[in-house]
């Protein structure tokens, strides 16, 4: 089976489904039992319409054990974050315990987008929703990392078949590929430097590729020419501006003359 470029792989391809979930009224003890029974560390919380409204994790449940026995007088002047933890320690249902609002990801989002959300929000998992906001799965860090669990042979096949031959229309001996521990080495040569750069970028997108080492040579460096071409296109397409530093703002519907 041919691989799909990493940037083209979507969350639906790697998410876990079906998902164990609870309602806002689910009791504390039942949540603990569900986590243990299914071997998961968190469960999404759904409203009656099936929309994700929160998530309860082991960390949320542990607040009851860590803070539940403290004396009331210790609550004076406590910080907001600690007050939130204490409120969860006193909670008895998923609605009391859950973290809300919850960050979700669309099933159609790319795995790269999901990874960026986890990185930016410092999250371990994301509930996955469809176009209507209904829960369809959950994706974890482990699910995303699973894309790297491919053999070197499978990676080499995809790079050679899909990229080198299928998109660049070349192959050995002009261009060859070797893979070791997920690191792809490109050898050989191309006529233009831009082709070598494109090859490297494309290979980075193949599932399982950890890194790319390009040893490609080229006969002609066409990148300065391409830069001049793009700069010229941008200049021609841009509206003319005064040389005194004034910036014109185009009104709605106004044409560039």
């Amino acid at each position: 089976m041919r691989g799909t470029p990493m940037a083209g792989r979507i969350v639906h391809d790697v998410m876990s489904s079906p998902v164990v979930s609870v309602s806002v009224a689910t009791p504390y003890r039942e949540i603990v039992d569900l986590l243990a029974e299914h071997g998961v560390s968190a469960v999404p919380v759904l409203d009656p319409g099936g929309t994700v409204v929160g998530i309860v994790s082991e960390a949320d449940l542990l607040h009851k054990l860590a803070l539940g026995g403290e004396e009331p007088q210790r609550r004076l002047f406590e910080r907001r974050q600690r007050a939130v933890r204490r409120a969860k320690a006193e909670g008895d249902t998923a609605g009391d315990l859950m973290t809300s609002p919850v960050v979700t990801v669309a099933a159609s989002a790319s795995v790269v987008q999901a990874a960026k959300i986890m990185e930016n929000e410092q999250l371990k998992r994301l509930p996955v929703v469809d176009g209507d906001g209904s829960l369809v799965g959950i994706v974890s860090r482990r699910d995303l990392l699973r894309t790297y669990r491919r053999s070197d042979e499978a990676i080499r096949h995809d790079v050679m078949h899909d990229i080198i031959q299928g998109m660049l229309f070349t192959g050995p001996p002009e261009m060859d590929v070797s893979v070791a521990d997920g690191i792809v080495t490109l050898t050989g040569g191309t006529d233009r430097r831009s082709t070598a750069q494109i090859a490297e970028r494309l290979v980075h997108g193949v599932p399982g590729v950890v890194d790319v080492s390009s040893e490609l040579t080229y006969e002609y460096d066409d990148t300065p020419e391409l830069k001049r071409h793009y700069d010229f296109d941008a200049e021609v397409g841009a509206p003319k501006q005064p040389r005194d530093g004034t910036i014109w703002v185009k009104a709605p519907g106004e044409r560039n003359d």
Side-chain angles (χ1 to χ4, degrees):
M1 180 177 177
R2 290 167 56 182
T4 304
M6 192 77 77
R9 300 199 81 191
I10 60 175
V11 172
H12 184 273
D13 298 333
V14 299
M15 71 181 188
S16 298
S17 182
V19 186
V20 180
S21 62
V22 297
S23 72
V24 292
T26 302
Y28 181 100
R29 176 62 182 275
E30 185 175 336
I31 299 172
V32 174
D33 290 342
L34 283 171
L35 295 183
E37 179 182 347
H38 294 276
V40 295
S41 58
V43 286
V45 183
L46 309 183
D47 68 10
T51 300
V52 182
V53 294
I55 192 166
V56 177
S57 69
E58 292 173 332
D60 296 318
L61 298 171
L62 280 173
H63 294 317
K64 186 177 289 292
L65 182 62
L67 302 175
E70 292 190 356
E71 298 178 3
Q73 56 264 33
R74 296 185 60 182
R75 303 183 186 187
L76 296 175
F77 308 112
E78 65 185 355
R79 295 181 178 179
R80 181 182 179 279
Q81 193 174 35
R82 185 174 178 83
V84 170
R85 294 199 297 265
R86 187 182 299 284
K88 291 186 178 184
E90 297 173 351
D92 296 323
T93 65
D96 303 326
L97 301 161
M98 68 184 184
T99 298
S100 181
V102 63
V103 179
T104 62
V105 66
S108 58
S110 72
V111 295
V112 174
Q113 289 175 309
K116 287 181 178 179
I117 293 173
M118 288 186 185
E119 177 72 16
N120 294 337
E121 301 293 335
Q122 297 185 336
L123 299 172
K124 296 180 179 180
R125 64 194 71 80
L126 293 169
V128 183
V129 297
D130 61 15
D132 298 323
S134 298
L135 181 70
V136 294
I138 194 162
V139 64
S140 66
R141 293 174 178 175
R142 183 177 301 176
D143 294 327
L144 296 181
L145 290 174
R146 194 179 300 140
T147 59
Y148 290 102
R149 297 192 62 189
R150 303 187 69 214
S151 69
D152 291 341
E153 293 75 15
I155 294 172
R156 185 186 185 282
H157 173 272
D158 287 353
V159 171
M160 180 59 71
H161 188 275
D162 297 348
I163 306 299
I164 306 303
Q165 296 176 341
M167 301 180 73
L168 301 179
F169 306 107
T170 186
E174 287 78 13
M175 191 180 295
D176 207 348
V177 181
S178 62
V179 185
D181 296 325
I183 299 176
V184 177
T185 300
L186 299 175
T187 56
T190 66
D191 55 347
R192 300 177 181 180
R193 183 181 183 185
S194 62
T195 302
Q197 293 174 332
I198 290 171
E200 185 175 352
R201 285 198 299 269
L202 290 173
V203 173
H204 267 291
V206 173
V209 171
V210 175
D211 203 355
V212 180
S213 174
S214 178
E215 299 177 2
L216 294 173
T217 60
Y218 50 87
E219 299 175 4
Y220 171 62
D221 185 358
D222 61 333
T223 53
E225 180 181 330
L226 290 174
K227 184 179 186 302
R228 287 194 299 270
H229 175 73
Y230 292 136
D231 288 345
F232 176 77
D233 285 349
E235 185 177 340
V236 170
K240 297 178 181 178
Q241 299 287 351
R243 294 187 177 182
D244 61 1
T246 304
I247 299 178
W248 291 344
V249 178
K250 187 173 65 174
E254 183 182 349
R255 296 173 53 189
N256 292 330
D257 296 325

